[in-house]
């Protein structure tokens, strides 16, 4: 079985310090949280950036400042910027970090109701536009899928040449408006991707560690972090992203999975 790639989603665009004081806003806080996650065993840092007041931004200069600061201290780590941004941003606004030519970036593969009046919009043309841009810039897309229909969309667009194979998916499960985080649904999603594809599971909230265990056993990969879950256990706030990663490492050891280094993750994902 392949070694386990752990991704740390250190901040997201919606979670705040009111939810958990460890959520990073400033450049220094992002470096701290990325470092704690990396030292604990994460190979990939899934990155949203904020202004110092916590406002989400897709400004490429802010991304560059954060990415350069992380790389200065942890040059081996893979940084995966989000092109999801925050609800209401335009396509070109969301695509700004791709101009920095990262190794990977996220590619959201469908529209999702996030609750209330919040709709995370990704039209077919948006997905094509993002996919084409990533091919042009040599960026490996992580296909973010919130339900089965988004897998189907990604596969259709791959056949049309907008996403290269072998594909890499991130099953985001347990989000309001998306598929649940039940084991039944994980099996459904897992059985819907090509045999040569790789996948990561991001269980949101209470689903984080049960789905992590399922992915570890199945041979997949895991995403954890304060973006997805601010607690280390029910009612107990996580002290850092590193603490969340450490819990996944303990689970992996129990099930006999070794943890991939960033260099090993690059080989598994076809980044080099």
């Amino acid at each position: 079985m392949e070694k386990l790639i752990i991704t740390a989603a250190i901040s997201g665009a919606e979670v705040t310090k009111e939810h958990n004081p460890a959520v990073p806003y400033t450049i220094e806080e992002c470096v701290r949280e990325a470092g704690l996650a990396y030292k604990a065993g994460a190979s990939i840092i899934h990155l949203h950036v904020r202004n110092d007041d916590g406002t989400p931004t897709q400004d490429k200069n802010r991304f560059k400042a954060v990415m350069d600061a992380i790389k200065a201290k942890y040059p081996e780590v893979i940084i995966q910027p989000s092109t999801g941004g925050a609800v209401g941003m335009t396509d070109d606004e969301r695509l700004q970090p791709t101009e920095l030519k990262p190794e990977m970036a996220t590619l959201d593969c469908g529209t999702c109701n996030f609750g209330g009046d919040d709709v995370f919009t990704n039209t077919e043309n948006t997905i094509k536009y993002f996919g084409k841009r990533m091919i042009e810039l040599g960026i490996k897309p992580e296909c973010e899928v919130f339900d089965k229909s988004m897998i189907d969309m990604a596969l259709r667009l791959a056949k049309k040449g907008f996403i290269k194979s072998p594909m890499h998916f991130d099953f985001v499960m347990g989000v309001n408006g998306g598929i649940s985080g039940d084991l039944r649904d994980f099996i459904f999603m897992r059985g819907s991707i090509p045999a040569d594809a790789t996948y990561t599971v991001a269980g949101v909230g209470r689903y984080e560690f049960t789905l992590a265990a399922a992915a570890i056993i199945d041979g997949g990969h895991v995403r954890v972090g304060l973006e997805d879950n601010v607690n280390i256990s029910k009612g107990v706030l996580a002290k850092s992203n590193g603490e969340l990663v450490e819990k996944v490492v303990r689970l992996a050891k129990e099930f006999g999975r070794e943890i991939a280094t960033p260099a090993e993750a690059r080989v598994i994902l076809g980044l080099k």
Side-chain angles (χ1 to χ4, degrees), residues 36-64:
L36 290 170
Y38 167 65
K39 291 174 184 177
S43 292
I44 301 174
I45 302 300
H46 171 69
L47 188 65
H48 290 256
V49 296
R50 313 284 191 94
N51 295 315
D52 286 352
D53 65 359
T55 306
T57 179
Q58 287 294 106
D59 181 74
K60 70 177 180 181
N61 294 316
R62 183 67 167 186
F63 265 100
K64 186 177 189 305

Side-chain angles (χ1 to χ4, degrees), residues 15-170:
V15 68
T16 68
K17 289 184 181 294
E18 284 67 40
H19 298 112
N20 186 315
V23 173
Y25 294 169
T26 68
I27 295 172
E28 293 76 15
E29 289 170 344
C30 288
V31 172
R32 178 199 72 210
E33 288 301 309
L36 290 170
Y38 167 65
K39 291 174 184 177
S43 292
I44 301 174
I45 302 300
H46 171 69
L47 188 65
H48 290 256
V49 296
R50 313 284 191 94
N51 295 315
D52 286 352
D53 65 359
T55 306
T57 179
Q58 287 294 106
D59 181 74
K60 70 177 180 181
N61 294 316
R62 183 67 167 186
F63 265 100
K64 186 177 189 305
V66 176
M67 292 167 67
D68 286 351
I70 293 171
K71 282 288 192 177
K73 292 197 72 172
Y74 310 104
E76 303 88 358
V77 77
I78 300 165
I79 300 179
Q80 178 199 83
S82 169
T83 65
V87 171
M89 291 182 177
T90 67
D91 288 355
D92 286 328
E93 186 178 4
R94 288 167 52 187
L95 275 172
Q96 286 184 82
T98 63
E99 296 175 33
L100 303 173
K101 298 184 179 180
E103 295 173 88
M104 298 183 76
T106 57
L107 174 57
D108 293 280
C109 292
T111 295
C112 190
N113 291 322
F114 275 173
D117 293 322
D118 286 343
V119 180
F120 182 39
T121 303
N122 293 281
T123 68
E124 182 176 1
N125 286 339
T126 290
I127 302 165
K128 288 179 177 178
Y129 183 38
F130 282 38
K132 184 178 179 182
R133 173 73 66 87
M134 292 185 196
I135 289 172
E136 290 171 349
L137 295 175
I139 299 168
K140 173 87 173 187
E142 179 177 80
C143 296
E144 305 283 316
V145 291
F146 295 78
D147 67 26
K148 167 66 161 56
S149 66
M150 296 188 192
I151 294 177
D152 296 337
M153 174 65 80
L155 296 179
R156 284 196 298 271
L157 295 186
K159 287 181 180 178
K160 294 179 179 180
F162 292 97
I163 303 172
K164 283 187 173 182
S165 293
M167 301 170 73
H168 177 65
F169 291 87
D170 180 30

Side-chain angles (χ1 to χ4, degrees), residues 4-10 33-45 208-209 216 222-226 232 238 240-252 259:
L4 175 69
I5 300 170
I6 302 175
T7 298
I10 62 173
E33 288 301 309
L36 290 170
Y38 167 65
K39 291 174 184 177
S43 292
I44 301 174
I45 302 300
E208 186 165 59
F209 294 109
I216 291 166
V222 174
R223 179 178 116 174
V224 292
L226 294 173
I232 189 66
S240 68
N241 282 281
E243 187 177 29
L244 295 168
V245 173
E246 287 169 355
K247 188 168 180 176
V248 174
V249 170
R250 291 197 299 272
L251 285 172
I259 307 302

